[in-house]
């Protein structure tokens, strides 16, 4: 991260010091590549006409194809962060090392907005074509929330014989906004039931579905301190009080969230929920837990009687759904890669995505692969290289790969990267409802049908504004 930040400083300096780049909005300016691509690519940065910063790399030995990257998050800054796309270029240098041109947008602003991010991803693809010519093949790649963004790109822009030839979704948040965050809704209310410090009794009250009151000055460090106070989660077990240990056990058992990512999930259920509710939905509530029965605690009866309950505003559900839910209307090859023990975007998101495509009668376009890894933000480079190769070959030959054939082919890439191939070709995730408490209607996929999407699209101001 330090090297990415330093590189970002160089890039920003190059941009602000190049009058022609400033005067010609959207035109890429040549910059020094990250050290991971030194001598192997030519790199560019710029800002498109919507204000989104971007980074591009073209390998010295370019195979003629392009990977357009959709990053995760969402980041919560006000504007577009130029350091984000530069850091992503360094992080995903494996794509350029494999001969693919790479282009990634920082999006025009921070905060939630899946369709906005998808539009910025498509805008960058068009910019690349305008500046460097049309690639032989174009693939969209999304990681984490970027998997949701890339899946939206596939549905909105990836029509048959359209500009995209295939999609690679890795560690994807594929349940969509209206269901994909329900376990964080549950965490928010269960945490408050046990801890009573978010907010404290003496602090201004607000509904927990809002994440945090709009004007709060709470920081990530401040929230972490409250979590530690209540659960001792960062302490050795012998250093926790009996009450802290019981609180921690109850929260983890009820929510099924791993201890090592408890803090990050609570941060999301606080700061990102505030962004979704306050900044994007005009203080309307898109979440509900009225029908949920919580279990796994030392006293489920008391928990269910005392936990805060709320119902969603139907217009807020509609707008969040329209923005981020998936219809499964897929016409191009889609390959997914997901760690079985992903502690952030649970592997059951993949079950939701398969059910979505099955519900839309498009499952023939999907191949899912799983690895015996326990990370979310970065899997093995050997697996990323093998995945994009398998997707490319699927598009070129029309022969659909299998999880076993992809697992077998990974070995050809590992000598170059040495990061291992840990595929589990026989693994199939359990249903989304096996991990996340289903709300009414939550067992039926897709969460938003193509007909619903079309109907909602006719409503003025529907969705989340860019």
């Amino acid at each position: 991260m330090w090297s990415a930040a330093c590189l970002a400083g160089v890039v920003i300096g190059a941009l602000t010091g190049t009058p022609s780049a400033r005067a010609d909005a959207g035109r890429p300016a040549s910059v020094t590549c990250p050290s991971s691509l030194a001598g192997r690519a030519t790199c560019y940065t710029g800002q498109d006409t919507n204000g989104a910063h971007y980074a591009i790399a073209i390998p010295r030995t370019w195979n003629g194809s392009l990977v357009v990257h959709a990053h995760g998050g969402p980041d919560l800054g006000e504007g577009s962060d130029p350091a984000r796309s530069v850091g992503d270029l360094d992080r995903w240098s494996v794509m350029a090392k494999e001969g693919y041109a790479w282009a990634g947008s920082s999006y025009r602003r921070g905060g939630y907005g899946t369709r906005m991010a998808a539009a910025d991803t498509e805008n960058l693809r068009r910019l690349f074509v305008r500046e460097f010519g049309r690639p032989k093949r174009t693939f969209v790649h999304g990681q984490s929330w970027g998997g949701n963004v890339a899946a939206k790109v596939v549905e909105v822009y990836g029509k048959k014989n359209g500009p995209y030839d295939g999609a690679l979704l890795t560690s994807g948040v594929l349940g969509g906004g209206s269901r994909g965050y329900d376990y964080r809704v549950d965490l928010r209310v269960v945490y408050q039931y046990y801890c009573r410090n978010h907010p404290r009794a003496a602090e201004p009250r607000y509904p927990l579905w809002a994440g945090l009151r709009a004007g709060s000055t709470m920081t990530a460090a401040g929230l972490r301190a409250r979590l530690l106070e209540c659960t001792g989660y960062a302490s050795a077990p012998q250093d926790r009080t009996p009450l802290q240990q019981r609180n921690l056990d109850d929260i983890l058992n009820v929510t099924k969230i791993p201890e090592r990512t408890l803090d990050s999930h609570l941060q999301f259920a606080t700061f990102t929920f505030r962004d979704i509710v306050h900044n994007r939905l005009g203080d309307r509530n898109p979440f509900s837990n009225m029908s949920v029965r919580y279990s796994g605690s030392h006293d489920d009866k008391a928990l269910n009687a005392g936990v805060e309950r709320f119902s969603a505003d139907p217009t807020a559900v509609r707008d969040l759904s329209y923005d981020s839910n998936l219809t499964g209307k897929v016409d191009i090859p889609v390959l997914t890669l997901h760690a079985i023990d992903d502690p952030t975007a649970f592997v059951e998101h993949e079950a939701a995505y398969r059910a979505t495509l099955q519900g839309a009668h498009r499952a023939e376009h999907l191949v899912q692969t799983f690895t015996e890894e326990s990370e979310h933000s970065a899997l093995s480079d050997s697996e990323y290289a093998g995945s994009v190769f398998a997707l490319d070959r699927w598009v070129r030959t029309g022969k659909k790969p299998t999880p076993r054939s992809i697992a077998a082919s990974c070995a050809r890439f590992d000598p170059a990267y040495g990061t291992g191939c840990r595929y589990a070709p026989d693994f199939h995730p359990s249903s989304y409802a096996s991990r996340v408490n289903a709300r009414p209607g939550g067992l039926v996929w897709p969460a938003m049908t193509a007909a619903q999407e079309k109907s909602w699209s006719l409503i003025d101001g529907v969705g989340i504004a860019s």
Side-chain angles (χ1 to χ4, degrees):
M1 290 301 295
W2 179 86
S3 62
C6 289
L7 178 61
V10 173
V11 170
I12 295 167
L15 286 172
T16 56
T18 308
S20 60
R22 282 201 312 272
D24 195 355
R27 295 299 302 275
S30 179
V31 296
T32 302
C33 285
S35 59
S36 56
L37 290 175
R40 305 180 70 160
T42 304
C43 297
Y44 305 85
T45 61
Q47 191 172 16
D48 72 16
T49 53
N50 289 323
H53 288 277
Y54 62 83
I56 292 171
I58 301 178
R60 297 286 172 86
T61 54
W62 183 23
N63 64 16
S65 292
L66 169 68
V67 173
V68 185
H69 175 75
H71 76 69
D75 300 333
L76 297 180
E78 288 293 324
S80 180
D81 179 9
R84 179 66 200 235
S85 54
V86 174
D88 284 343
L89 171 56
D90 190 23
R91 177 179 172 190
W92 301 106
S93 62
V94 59
M95 302 298 182
K97 291 174 182 176
E98 289 301 308
Y100 295 88
W102 185 97
S105 172
S106 292
Y107 311 146
R108 70 190 71 178
R109 62 158 173 77
Y112 202 84
T114 304
R115 284 182 182 268
M116 173 206 71
D120 287 340
T121 302
E122 165 62 5
N123 288 342
L124 180 55
R125 183 201 65 81
R126 295 180 184 183
L127 184 150
F128 183 96
V129 171
R130 186 171 66 246
E131 297 294 331
F132 303 104
R134 184 173 297 277
K136 289 192 298 184
R137 286 174 292 279
T138 300
F139 305 98
V140 59
H141 169 236
Q143 173 88 9
S144 188
W145 176 60
N148 188 198
V149 174
K152 185 66 74 175
V153 169
V154 169
E155 294 186 357
V156 176
Y157 306 104
K159 307 304 180 185
K160 189 175 182 180
N161 300 319
Y164 294 94
D165 298 283
L168 175 61
L169 313 179
T170 57
S171 307
V173 179
L174 301 173
S178 74
R179 298 180 187 174
Y181 304 126
D182 280 343
Y183 54 94
R184 287 166 171 159
V185 174
D186 294 339
L187 171 62
R188 190 68 181 81
V189 298
V190 170
Y191 175 87
Q192 182 63 8
Y193 172 79
Y194 289 112
C195 298
R196 309 289 182 183
N197 66 4
H198 186 32
R200 299 186 191 279
E203 294 176 330
R205 310 300 293 176
Y206 55 87
L208 296 182
W209 49 259
L212 190 65
R213 62 186 178 88
S216 174
T217 58
M218 176 179 280
T219 64
L223 177 56
R224 194 171 297 116
R226 296 189 186 203
L227 176 60
L228 179 61
E229 168 193 297
C230 175
T231 67
Y233 82 104
S235 305
Q238 63 270 22
D239 295 330
R240 297 170 187 151
T241 68
L243 179 58
Q244 286 177 326
Q245 187 64 62
R246 193 177 76 173
N247 287 341
L248 181 61
D249 290 342
D250 280 341
I251 291 169
L252 297 180
N253 290 338
V254 172
T255 65
K256 302 177 185 177
I257 289 174
E259 182 177 342
R260 64 193 173 106
T261 51
L262 180 59
D263 173 47
S264 63
H265 283 290
L266 188 59
Q267 300 278 345
F268 192 103
T270 299
F271 299 108
T272 306
F273 276 17
R274 176 173 64 176
D275 176 73
I276 291 173
V277 169
H278 180 66
N279 296 332
R280 313 303 160 200
L281 295 175
D283 295 315
R284 291 173 295 147
N285 173 26
F287 304 122
S288 173
N289 71 336
M290 289 298 294
S291 64
V292 175
R293 173 163 178 77
Y294 298 103
S295 62
S297 72
H298 77 279
D299 188 342
D300 289 348
K301 183 177 180 180
L303 170 62
N304 282 283
V307 74
E308 183 173 316
R309 302 281 182 176
F310 39 79
S311 296
D313 179 330
T315 65
V317 175
R318 178 201 66 197
D319 287 352
L320 182 59
S321 298
Y322 180 77
D323 180 74
S324 59
N325 282 358
L326 301 170
T327 67
K329 195 174 180 181
V330 170
D331 295 313
I332 61 175
V334 177
L335 175 63
T336 72
L337 173 67
H338 215 121
I340 294 171
D341 195 25
D342 186 329
T344 299
F346 303 146
V347 72
E348 288 80 7
H349 275 274
E350 296 290 340
Y353 192 56
R354 173 164 288 280
T356 295
L357 267 65
Q358 288 173 335
H361 307 290
R362 303 295 177 94
E364 72 272 14
H365 297 296
L366 178 65
V367 173
Q368 294 176 298
T369 61
F370 304 93
T371 71
E372 294 176 338
E373 291 171 277
S374 56
E375 299 302 325
H376 169 70
S377 295
L379 303 179
S380 163
D381 275 356
S382 303
E383 293 162 0
Y384 287 126
S387 294
V388 72
F389 171 80
L391 178 62
D392 195 344
R393 184 167 60 181
W394 182 7
V395 168
R396 285 186 286 105
T397 67
K399 185 177 179 180
K400 186 177 180 179
T402 66
R404 191 165 296 280
S405 70
I406 294 172
S409 67
C410 180
R412 66 177 289 184
F413 300 96
D414 202 41
Y417 298 103
T419 52
C421 298
R422 299 179 61 188
Y423 283 97
D426 297 323
F427 177 80
H428 299 282
S430 298
S431 70
Y432 190 70
S434 70
R435 186 70 177 261
V436 181
N437 293 307
R439 277 59 173 171
L443 300 179
V444 178
W445 299 88
M448 174 181 67
T449 66
Q452 276 181 314
E453 180 184 44
K454 184 175 181 180
S455 175
W456 285 341
S457 72
L458 303 176
I459 300 172
D460 186 41
V462 72
I464 291 175
S466 298

